[in-house]
Amino acid sequence: MVEWTEEERSFIQEIFSKIKYEDVGPKSLCRALIVYPWTQRYFAHFGNLYNEDAIMGNPEVARHGAVVLHGLDAAVKNMDNIKSNYAELGELHSEKLHVDPDNFKLMADCITVVIATQMRASFTPAMQAAWYKFLSVVVSALSRQYH
Amino acid sequence: MSLTVQDMAVVKGLWAKIASKADDIGAEALGRMLTVYPQTKTYFSHWSDLSPGSAPVKKHGKTIMGAVSDAVSKIDDLPAALSQLSELHASKLRVDPANFKILAHNIIVVVAMLFPADFTPEVHMSLDKFLQNLAWCLAERYR
């Protein structure tokens, strides 16, 4: 069972109250596809990912970025049951999508960087620590179903 | 993932913009690393204060970023540039190389915070590659 302090809970709620899914999601996915180009292997069906401009202008990438970020909703709404709430999504990523779980960390890092560009100095070290813990728990829950 | 001519130009271009804040970036990145990844504190048990903004953190952050800045100026031959530091890390400091990745991530987060408009995905990629190459050269003498 993951233990959350009151401060950690409020940090996570604060971050989610400040970000726009339709903005942070697409920016994070674009960043992952550009900074870690091997992640493009999962999106061959998205059409043109040929260069940075193509990726950043690709509407499928934008749409999916928002989907991925909304995937964190279940965790924010119920931080005490992340492990069980992600069993199904974890299985989807393992059995159907065949995503190497290392990619979850890369995506998490990109989301963090995008939040850093937006929140800037208000993204304090203590907040970053809570955020890292939160994403680590989600990544761990998503990675559990692999066998 | 070697540095291309383009990567080197991008990193040098970024450094021209951020060099004046190098000390702050180093201190901030180190402070965040120690806070967000507490296992890294094990290397600094001899410090009186490990909190962000403390004197030892500021001093050491400046030292680290000074070395990174120096590496940028010698980006054409990183192995040679880092040879002595690699010897130090291998024989005396013996920092587990996994931690270089952690510090690199925190440098990236701080640069993103301080220079959001300049830190495009393309710049992010080249900086990530540079720090990865730097880490590789730093661990060169380990075994």
Side-chain angles (χ1 to χ4, degrees):
Chain A
M1 244 296 270
V2 182
E3 305 272 336
W4 301 99
T5 63
E6 281 313 307
E7 191 185 53
E8 284 169 338
R9 289 178 196 272
S10 82
F11 279 152
I12 301 306
Q13 298 302 325
E14 188 182 333
I15 290 170
F16 274 90
S17 74
K18 289 196 166 140
I19 64 174
K20 293 185 172 54
Y21 288 86
E22 273 60 39
D23 178 48
V24 171
K27 283 185 172 145
S28 302
L29 184 56
C30 279
R31 205 162 270 259
L33 295 170
I34 292 165
V35 178
Y36 310 106
W38 53 94
T39 57
Q40 293 169 25
R41 75 187 304 284
Y42 302 107
F43 303 103
H45 53 294
F46 276 10
N48 188 1
L49 299 176
Y50 190 59
N51 55 33
E52 182 172 343
D53 286 336
I55 290 169
M56 299 208 338
N58 187 316
E60 300 268 347
V61 171
R63 198 187 40 81
H64 195 66
V67 165
V68 168
L69 204 63
H70 274 295
L72 292 175
D73 282 341
V76 188
K77 294 195 169 109
N78 196 342
M79 285 172 65
D80 295 307
N81 273 304
I82 294 176
K83 192 161 80 177
S84 46
N85 284 339
Y86 279 86
E88 209 179 302
L89 255 184
E91 193 154 328
L92 172 77
H93 282 76
S94 153
E95 302 308 300
K96 190 161 172 250
L97 304 176
H98 306 293
V99 175
D100 180 337
D102 271 359
N103 291 285
F104 302 149
K105 293 191 185 93
L106 301 180
M107 189 64 196
D109 282 352
C110 286
I111 295 170
T112 303
V113 170
V114 172
I115 286 174
T117 62
Q118 297 195 349
M119 291 183 68
R120 306 195 65 186
S122 61
F123 190 54
T124 62
M127 201 176 263
Q128 185 183 341
W131 183 243
Y132 174 64
K133 181 175 166 180
F134 173 75
L135 288 180
S136 300
V137 173
V138 174
V139 166
S140 169
L142 273 176
S143 308
R144 285 189 81 241
Q145 315 303 326
Y146 284 72
H147 60 89
Chain B
M1 300 184 223
S2 314
L3 295 174
T4 62
V5 168
Q6 160 96 338
D7 289 321
M8 296 188 201
V10 167
V11 171
K12 283 189 140 136
L14 176 68
W15 231 258
K17 292 184 181 146
I18 75 176
S20 61
K21 289 218 169 234
D23 292 352
D24 291 335
I25 294 171
E28 186 69 33
L30 185 62
R32 277 170 193 266
M33 184 186 81
L34 296 167
T35 306
V36 181
Y37 304 85
Q39 69 272 23
T40 58
K41 293 197 289 190
T42 55
Y43 292 97
F44 303 104
S45 51
H46 54 290
W47 284 357
S48 54
D49 187 351
L50 287 149
S51 54
S54 72
V57 169
K58 271 188 169 155
K59 182 166 174 251
H60 199 60
K62 185 176 164 179
T63 302
I64 293 174
M65 252 350 233
V68 175
S69 295
D70 186 60
V72 173
S73 71
K74 297 168 182 163
I75 203 168
D76 302 308
D77 192 354
L78 285 178
L82 290 157
S83 163
Q84 265 187 307
L85 269 178
S86 180
E87 185 58 50
L88 176 73
H89 281 75
S91 59
K92 193 165 167 246
L93 304 177
R94 289 178 288 195
V95 174
D96 188 317
N99 294 291
F100 300 152
K101 234 189 227 186
I102 294 175
L103 182 59
H105 171 71
N106 283 285
I107 291 172
I108 282 167
V109 166
V110 174
V111 171
M113 277 170 52
L114 295 176
F115 302 91
D118 297 301
F119 202 57
T120 62
E122 183 190 41
V123 170
H124 178 167
M125 187 197 68
S126 294
L127 181 61
D128 192 55
K129 279 179 78 175
F130 168 69
L131 292 171
Q132 200 179 83
N133 275 268
L134 209 158
W136 182 260
C137 292
L138 211 49
E140 177 62 35
R141 296 260 208 270
Y142 271 53
R143 57 178 177 173

